[in-house]
Amino acid sequence: MAKYKIPTILGILILLTSLGVGVWLVKSERLALFPKAAPEFTPKQVRVTGVTETGFTVSWVTDEATVGLVKIGKTADKLDQVWGDDRDQKSGTVGSSETHYVTVKNVQPATNYWFVFGSGPGRVMYDNQGQPYQVTTAGVVATKPLADAAYGTVVDAAGRPAGGAIVYVQLPGAVPLSSLVQDNGNWAVALATARTSDLKSYATYDAQTTNIEILVQAGSRGSATATIQTGNDAPVPAITLGKNFDFRVAQTSETASATVSQPVATESSKFSVASPVATATVTLVNPAQDNAVVTATQPAFKGRGPAGEKLTVTVNSPTTYTGTVTVKPDGTWDWTPPAGLTPGTHTITIGFLDDQGVTQTLKRTFVVAAAGPAVGGLPAFTASPSATATPTAVPRVSLPSTASGVPTSGVATPTLIMLMLGGGLMTLGLLWQIRFQKLI
């Protein structure tokens, strides 16, 4: 009898050792069976644009190049359509980029759609705090507008084409439009297809004098802003990343040249356009004016000031939030409250010291739109400079406020893995025991 106890004991020892190794592998994340969100792949600058009766576009940026996709459906529990990045759809291969641009097509008009978007090598899916985001497509309008387009080029600081950048175009009272910059630096949007904020009709504007706000996002390569009138948007003068332009000035060659070399920003921009900075002057450009309406519960407050200046930011709402921020070397600053703000009117106060060492304050009121779909049926993060997202893949990952930008990964329960590993090792141990018995 004793001769049969040796392999049984060895089998148990092997099983226990393997279980210990398996637990260590899972806890040390060397056994990557579950996708986990990582800060470098967390979606930022998420926007929904170009809503029509047949489609819409979801775009975002990540700190590092990775893949991106969008899953949609007519019900929250059945997201049965998957759409890849426009570049992937065109090439037939899956590529990685810091900018992500997914156009959903062939959907039904005046219909509510639910969606989540995936980012990162593990295809972690991000939603709206446990529920998919919603977007409503536009209804069919019988009378089509005359064709009208805005187009131009985007280049980097060295004058090279900024392929892969995303251009956002905003007409007053309209749903934003967007375009993915081509490899040669060209971009174009069909202004005439822009819908009103309520999606009931096409936006109306003066073909010569309406102001257009332009924002360019290019990930780590930088961003740019521009303001131009419709009479000078075909083409829009070249936009250089890292600069802000106001092309509304008289278009003489001398003036235009001065505008490019010394770009002038506008505080009326809906894309948080930076404004010129005077000595020891602090500005607030988002919100740009009193009673501005924001659709993000955690809006990114932005402005400009003297580099190195320390600012105190206070948001007065049912809960008061206070923080400090230092103006960056490029003269810009931004701050996001640590938690979501309730719908209604709020006040932001910026405190700083002027050249004489006297404390100065800048105060502005703003209104947070009610939760749920924003104006025009767009999700609440549309105007947010950095969407707050929660992955739906296992493990569930809940992101903190956009001020930190660091996700907290969920905990992967190793029970199933251990059961499978243990069962396999037990079977192996039993087979080894039988073989050992036959040998003896």
Side-chain angles (χ1 to χ4, degrees):
M1 295 294 293
K3 64 182 180 181
Y4 298 111
K5 293 181 180 179
I6 296 176
T8 302
I9 294 174
L10 288 176
I12 294 174
L13 288 175
I14 293 173
L15 174 60
L16 293 176
T17 302
S18 301
L19 287 173
V21 172
V23 171
W24 175 77
L25 286 171
V26 172
K27 289 188 174 181
S28 63
E29 299 184 8
R30 286 173 170 80
L31 191 60
L33 297 182
F34 294 114
K36 287 196 173 185
E40 61 268 26
F41 302 128
T42 301
K44 300 177 181 179
Q45 305 290 339
V46 183
R47 288 181 170 84
V48 173
T49 56
V51 180
T52 67
E53 64 266 31
T54 59
F56 56 91
T57 298
V58 183
S59 59
W60 66 95
V61 299
T62 50
D63 290 340
E64 292 188 10
T66 187
V67 298
L69 58 88
V70 170
K71 296 178 66 176
I72 74 165
K74 291 184 179 180
T75 59
D77 58 352
K78 188 179 181 181
L79 306 180
D80 52 2
Q81 295 185 44
V82 179
W83 292 86
D85 191 284
D86 282 19
R87 288 159 289 192
D88 297 343
Q89 296 182 44
K90 182 178 180 180
S91 66
T93 60
V94 178
S96 296
S97 178
E98 293 178 3
T99 58
H100 306 274
Y101 194 84
V102 181
T103 301
V104 176
K105 306 173 184 176
N106 303 320
V107 293
Q108 296 179 356
T111 302
N112 184 64
Y113 284 90
W114 302 77
F115 71 92
V116 296
F117 49 94
S119 182
R123 304 295 202 280
V124 178
M125 305 306 295
Y126 293 81
D127 61 21
N128 186 17
Q129 301 298 328
Q131 287 291 323
Y133 289 103
Q134 299 181 58
V135 60
T136 301
T137 54
V140 176
V141 178
T143 303
K144 302 297 181 181
L146 296 175
D148 183 28
Y151 61 89
T153 59
V154 179
V155 297
D156 62 17
R160 298 180 296 250
I166 302 173
V167 176
Y168 299 97
V169 176
Q170 177 75 64
L171 282 168
V175 174
L177 301 172
S178 64
S179 174
L180 184 66
V181 178
Q182 302 303 307
D183 291 339
N184 60 5
N186 293 340
W187 63 271
V189 296
L191 284 182
T193 64
R195 290 302 189 98
T196 55
S197 297
D198 60 10
L199 300 175
K200 293 181 179 180
S201 61
Y202 290 102
T204 57
Y205 56 90
D206 188 281
Q208 296 295 321
T209 62
T210 298
N211 288 337
I212 302 174
E213 303 291 351
I214 300 173
L215 168 68
V216 182
Q217 288 285 359
S220 62
R221 291 178 292 172
S223 60
T225 60
T227 304
I228 196 168
Q229 291 183 325
T230 46
N232 191 43
D233 62 3
V236 174
I239 297 175
T240 303
L241 294 176
K243 295 185 178 182
N244 303 314
F245 299 88
D246 190 335
F247 296 119
R248 294 173 299 177
V249 296
Q251 294 300 304
T252 63
S253 58
E254 180 180 358
T255 308
S257 176
T259 302
V260 174
S261 61
Q262 296 181 348
V264 179
T266 171
E267 292 192 9
S268 64
S269 173
K270 298 178 182 178
F271 289 124
S272 304
V273 180
S275 59
V277 179
T279 303
T281 298
V282 174
T283 64
L284 179 62
V285 297
N286 187 32
Q289 57 190 6
D290 278 330
N291 299 317
V293 177
V294 298
T295 56
T297 58
Q298 283 182 279
F301 300 105
K302 296 186 177 185
R304 293 185 65 87
E309 181 80 18
K310 291 186 178 180
L311 313 178
T312 300
V313 184
T314 302
V315 174
N316 294 312
S317 60
T319 299
T320 298
Y321 299 103
T322 301
T324 58
V325 63
T326 301
V327 180
K328 302 174 186 176
D330 63 356
T332 64
W333 64 267
D334 60 83
W335 183 82
T336 302
L341 305 179
T342 58
T345 301
H346 305 263
T347 302
I348 180 173
T349 303
I350 313 297
F352 60 97
L353 296 177
D354 62 16
D355 284 341
Q356 286 71 42
V358 179
T359 300
Q360 302 290 339
T361 58
L362 171 63
K363 184 178 293 186
R364 189 156 294 163
T365 60
F366 62 96
V367 179
V368 175
V375 177
L378 299 182
F381 64 77
T382 302
S384 171
S386 182
T388 302
T390 303
T392 54
V394 178
R396 182 175 297 281
V397 183
S398 180
L399 302 187
S401 73
T402 55
S404 63
V406 179
T408 302
S409 295
V411 178
T413 303
T415 304
L416 180 60
I417 303 174
M418 294 300 99
L419 287 174
M420 296 173 62
L421 182 60
L425 290 173
M426 288 181 66
T427 303
L428 182 61
L430 290 174
L431 292 175
W432 182 45
Q433 179 179 350
I434 294 173
R435 183 174 182 272
F436 186 86
Q437 290 174 346
K438 288 182 178 180
L439 291 175
I440 60 176

